Amino acid sequence: MAVYKLFPYKDTTLYSLYPDMNTGIDPITSITNLNIAIDSLPRVSRFLTEFVQEEIEDVINNKIGNSQWDVNLKTFIATAEGIVESTDLAVYPLAQYWYNGTGTYLDIPQTTDGASWYSPNFKGSVAWSSSGQDAYGNQVTSSYNSDYIGAGGGAWLVNSGSTYFKVTQSFDTRSEKDLEVNAKEVVSRWYSGSMDNNGFIVKWEDSVEFNSSTQIQPVMQFYSVDTNTIYPPQLEFKWDDYSSVLTGSATSSILSTTNIVASLSENPGEFLPESVHRFRFNVADKYPKRTFQTSSLFTGVNYLPTSSQYAVKDLDTNEFVINFDDTYTKLSSDENGNYFDIYMNGLEPERYYKILVKTTINNSTMVLDDNYYFKVVNGF
């Protein structure tokens, strides 16, 4: 029923080819296993991303409350090459605090004031951990190949007892290349205090990294938090705050015909990014049955079926920014009709968006799309 998005406050890429280099403000993050022409050795990159702990706690405490919830880590593809067969990407919680730094890829002179392959802090500072446990008993590990590069490349948490933290996503030649993995186990531990929030590390699976085969050279570049596009990474929370009055005799107000008239109300058209707005979706029978009564048939309240859902699209790209979801984007209802709430913080400002409503009536699924537009603005 509700979707709320957080954006990272830092991210960077670790490159084994340039082990002291920091790229903390580069618009791109990268994961690679690339046999390049310089020395024909496999070169690996991994990226880090971190979200503000206080913002996570605020969402769970003050917005989700006791509702059922879930959360996904999402990053959006910029370029992809060499994904010629099923290739798995792995995401772990990071084990150490790290500096974002102020570098970009191949700065001249090279920037070394933040996290790199060799250090989480800066050139010549402390090294990444290699193994052991953190303060909460979570197992720490790292991986590198000493034939090609020295120790480093991050340190991550693997498991706590029988609970393993790794989540994966598989890509092949024609699959969607955006990264979207479930992060609830890790985020729940950050929230409970049983794991420090140092963010995530994203890397290829061990069997891919440092593979010297010229047939295994996957490269995926994603937009970073410093992108000038509308595709920064995000931590997307979803929770079920569905509420309905459609029980008992009230179910007689649910429309049972596909010949309907629909309108979106409570839509002033422009919203600030801090807004949380309740839209109302009004429906009526287009051809009501003739009855003898003293009041108008159009003054009563009608409802869509309880499984109805909403979605939001970017009007320019026609991409879903909030997709239909059987659990988390259902239309609620009260004595005034159907409604749903949208948190504008997760929508890029100075862009137009379109609302769609999907419903199933008499085994016919309809998507109601009648130019229900609005805009998020930086200021009035």
Side-chain angles (χ1 to χ4, degrees):
M1 258 295 294
V3 177
Y4 195 93
K5 301 183 182 186
L6 299 179
F7 301 101
Y9 79 103
K10 60 181 182 178
D11 56 19
T12 194
T13 303
L14 315 179
Y15 292 91
S16 69
L17 180 59
Y18 306 104
D20 290 316
M21 181 178 68
N22 171 261
T23 60
I25 59 171
D26 199 273
I28 292 293
T29 56
S30 178
I31 54 170
T32 64
N33 181 74
L34 191 60
N35 295 302
I36 62 177
I38 294 176
D39 52 18
S40 300
L41 300 178
R43 300 301 185 177
V44 167
S45 66
R46 307 159 177 169
F47 75 83
L48 319 178
T49 187
E50 185 174 335
F51 299 82
V52 177
Q53 178 70 16
E54 290 77 12
E55 293 181 355
I56 293 172
E57 292 173 358
D58 175 68
V59 174
I60 297 174
N61 288 334
N62 301 319
K63 297 173 178 64
I64 296 175
N66 295 321
S67 300
Q68 172 189 344
W69 63 281
D70 210 346
V71 59
N72 287 345
L73 172 67
K74 302 173 73 172
T75 62
F76 300 95
I77 195 69
T79 62
E81 299 176 1
I83 315 297
V84 295
E85 57 184 35
S86 182
T87 309
D88 289 340
L89 174 155
V91 181
Y92 296 88
L94 202 63
Q96 284 177 261
Y97 180 82
W98 52 284
Y99 292 178
N100 187 78
T102 61
T104 59
Y105 185 70
L106 295 184
D107 279 344
I108 300 176
Q110 192 176 90
T111 304
T112 60
D113 64 355
S116 65
W117 184 272
Y118 280 152
S119 174
N121 294 352
F122 48 84
K123 182 179 179 179
S125 182
V126 299
W128 290 103
S129 298
S130 59
S131 61
Q133 291 185 341
D134 68 4
Y136 309 98
N138 302 307
Q139 297 297 317
V140 178
T141 195
S142 63
S143 68
Y144 64 97
N145 189 316
S146 58
D147 291 338
Y148 307 125
I149 188 64
W156 50 94
L157 302 175
V158 180
N159 68 290
S160 176
S162 61
T163 301
Y164 287 80
F165 306 134
K166 179 177 75 171
V167 290
T168 63
Q169 184 171 341
S170 185
F171 299 93
D172 58 35
T173 305
R174 292 180 176 82
S175 66
E176 290 289 332
K177 299 302 189 294
D178 292 337
L179 168 65
E180 182 172 0
V181 294
N182 188 270
K184 187 174 183 181
E185 179 65 42
V186 170
V187 172
S188 296
R189 288 173 180 266
W190 290 344
Y191 174 71
S192 69
S194 58
M195 178 188 292
D196 288 335
N197 176 8
N198 295 304
F200 298 97
I201 183 168
V202 182
K203 61 186 289 294
W204 291 118
E205 284 276 43
D206 291 346
S207 61
V208 175
E209 289 189 326
F210 296 108
N211 193 311
S212 59
S213 170
T214 57
Q215 304 304 311
I216 301 179
Q217 298 197 66
V219 176
M220 294 183 75
Q221 295 183 316
F222 299 90
Y223 295 108
S224 80
V225 69
D226 296 295
T227 181
N228 290 318
T229 72
I230 61 170
Y231 302 109
Q234 55 190 238
L235 199 60
E236 184 182 72
F237 287 86
K238 300 182 289 186
W239 65 95
D240 182 9
D241 62 354
Y242 174 74
S243 176
S244 178
V245 297
L246 297 175
T247 59
S249 61
T251 58
S252 62
S253 299
I254 299 175
L255 293 179
S256 58
T257 175
T258 56
N259 292 312
I260 62 176
V261 178
S263 65
L264 184 73
S265 63
E266 303 296 329
N267 179 19
E270 291 188 346
F271 303 93
L272 293 172
E274 299 81 11
S275 301
V276 182
H277 189 74
R278 175 162 294 180
F279 292 91
R280 290 197 170 272
F281 199 74
N282 306 313
V283 291
D285 191 339
K286 189 174 184 179
Y287 305 111
K289 294 179 181 179
R290 181 179 297 177
T291 60
F292 295 96
Q293 60 185 56
T294 57
S295 61
S296 171
L297 289 170
F298 295 101
T299 59
V301 177
N302 296 289
Y303 299 90
L304 290 175
T306 55
S307 61
S308 302
Q309 308 157 34
Y310 75 91
V312 178
K313 276 189 171 183
D314 184 290
L315 190 58
D316 184 43
T317 65
N318 204 38
E319 296 172 318
F320 283 104
V321 292
I322 300 176
N323 210 340
F324 296 113
D325 192 291
D326 292 339
T327 301
Y328 299 112
T329 67
K330 290 172 66 176
L331 270 62
S332 289
S333 61
D334 60 17
E335 65 276 6
N336 297 313
N338 290 118
Y339 69 88
F340 54 93
D341 299 330
I342 293 181
Y343 289 82
M344 302 297 170
N345 78 302
L347 306 180
E348 289 292 319
E350 302 305 325
R351 298 187 69 83
Y352 286 92
Y353 298 92
K354 177 169 63 173
I355 293 173
L356 302 91
V357 172
K358 181 170 71 174
T359 189
T360 300
I361 302 175
N362 293 335
N363 296 319
S364 295
T365 298
M366 304 183 297
V367 176
L368 305 175
D369 175 12
D370 192 20
N371 299 326
Y372 307 130
Y373 301 148
F374 68 91
K375 184 181 181 180
V376 179
V377 297
N378 278 320
F380 295 128

